[in-house]
Amino acid sequence: GEISDKRVIDEIIRLSKAVAPQIEILRLRDEVSKRDSLARGLLKFNESLRGIDTEDFWTHLMQVSAELLRAERASLLIHDETSDEFKAKAAIGSAIDLYSAENLGSRIARRAIETGHPLMLADMPKIGIESAPREWRYKTSSFISYPIAIGDRRIAVMNFTDRAGNEAFGQKDLDLLSTIAPQIAMAIDRTKLKTKAGEYEQRSITDALTGLRNRGYLEERLLEEISQARRYRSSMCLLMIDVDHFKSYNDSFGHPAGDNVLKLIAHAFRETLRTADVAARYGGEEFAILLPHTSSEEAAAIAERIRQRVERTEFAHRNVTISVGVASYSNEFEEPKDWITAADMALYDAKERGRNIIRIYEDLGRSFKEKIN
């Protein structure tokens, strides 16, 4: 019923006036605390963007993003524009291995990428999205799938679910994601550009036919190694290798067959050499192999292993052999071409002596300068 006692009414009004400022202060404190927490979170997010070259960059970035939304689970799926498939770039708190999951993103992420609009779903089954398989063990049915775009290109989707306290996501969460999505888009694009640049760089130093390093790379590397050898007096050797009677093989069986010979020889090198050794196609049927931290005796043993490996290899039309020249680095070589000339002299000597053998520059008894002059 109604309160008729005026004194009681006055007391309630007085009490309300006294309590209202306290309540307002508490409300403001809570708002400031949330704002401070958000500001700290965004600062942490911005700091994490600096670590783009670190191995766990994407995982760390999604962890920070999940903390901002108070989500226990989060994933970043990259959209491959060529295959139209999703690949997991990072996954936080997932009950399954997203990196090898089939039809990844087919339930929700695909809708987000196709429409270009974020999806905030409070109850998936109610809007016609089938429930996730039981083994995924989601705690709640509230879910955000947020597409990331650069211009017209939709390049990725961020997913968040299982919010702390089983609460549903709201508009504030979407607003927050709209502030960090452009930065994530830029980070993804930078990574893609770096990957492409790495691929281009790899192509620029690789021989297209054999997959070995090319002449340009070898000559640059020899410069570095000569500089190191002078500083630290380390021993190293260079092998120059030629395929015996390659011209007649090409003339008899055609260029594709000749190309196949070069590929098989490159494979023989890879099977025989150590990780630090550098094999390059120097030109035509000539190869060069740099052996860092290797004495003349060790180099001769490695060269002999390679020679035997090629001799045992089955080629399509007839046996193929190689001749090898070995030259240890010494101070008489002022630049890479001097060292290459010395190994070439030993190679020429091997060919003069009947091919399919190894010759060592130091055993020739003459200087590379005789060949130049």
Side-chain angles (χ1 to χ4, degrees), residues 30-49:
D30 184 51
E31 210 167 282
V32 167
S33 167
K34 281 179 182 169
R35 217 176 292 147
D36 284 353
S37 170
L38 182 61
R40 283 195 301 273
L42 285 170
L43 189 66
K44 198 172 170 186
F45 174 82
N46 288 331
E47 281 171 4
S48 68
L49 281 171

Side-chain angles (χ1 to χ4, degrees), residues 42 45-46 49 58 61-62 65 68-69 76 116 118 144-151 153 155-158 160 173-189:
L42 285 170
F45 174 82
N46 288 331
L49 281 171
W58 294 108
L61 194 69
M62 286 312 290
S65 304
L68 281 169
L69 268 72
L76 176 64
I144 288 182
S145 197
Y146 197 100
I148 295 171
I150 292 176
R153 288 169 48 230
I155 58 173
V157 174
M158 284 188 291
F160 300 91
D173 300 302
L174 289 181
D175 293 344
L176 178 60
L177 286 175
S178 71
T179 65
I180 66 173
Q183 289 156 288
I184 291 180
M186 280 168 62
I188 293 169
D189 215 38

Side-chain angles (χ1 to χ4, degrees), residues 69 71 73-75 77 98 105 107-110 112 118-125 127 129-130 132 136 138-146 157-163 167-170 173-174 177:
L69 268 72
R73 291 196 196 190
S75 64
L77 309 184
L98 288 184
R107 291 168 58 249
I108 302 168
R110 183 160 295 285
L119 291 176
M120 187 167 65
L121 313 170
D123 196 346
M124 286 176 261
I127 57 166
I129 294 176
E130 60 186 86
W136 290 15
Y138 282 136
K139 292 179 188 173
T140 72
S141 59
S142 182
F143 196 101
I144 288 182
S145 197
Y146 197 100
V157 174
M158 284 188 291
N159 298 308
F160 300 91
T161 188
D162 287 355
R163 191 166 190 201
E167 295 172 20
F169 292 106
D173 300 302
L174 289 181
L177 286 175

Side-chain angles (χ1 to χ4, degrees), residues 260-273:
N260 205 41
V261 164
L262 299 177
K263 286 180 192 173
L264 285 169
I265 287 173
H267 180 69
F269 293 163
R270 279 191 283 266
E271 292 281 293
T272 315
L273 293 172

Side-chain angles (χ1 to χ4, degrees), residues 5 83 126 155 197 204 206 256 321 329 370:
D5 194 326
S83 65
K126 280 185 181 173
I155 58 173
S204 74
T206 304
T321 61
Y329 174 74
E370 292 174 42

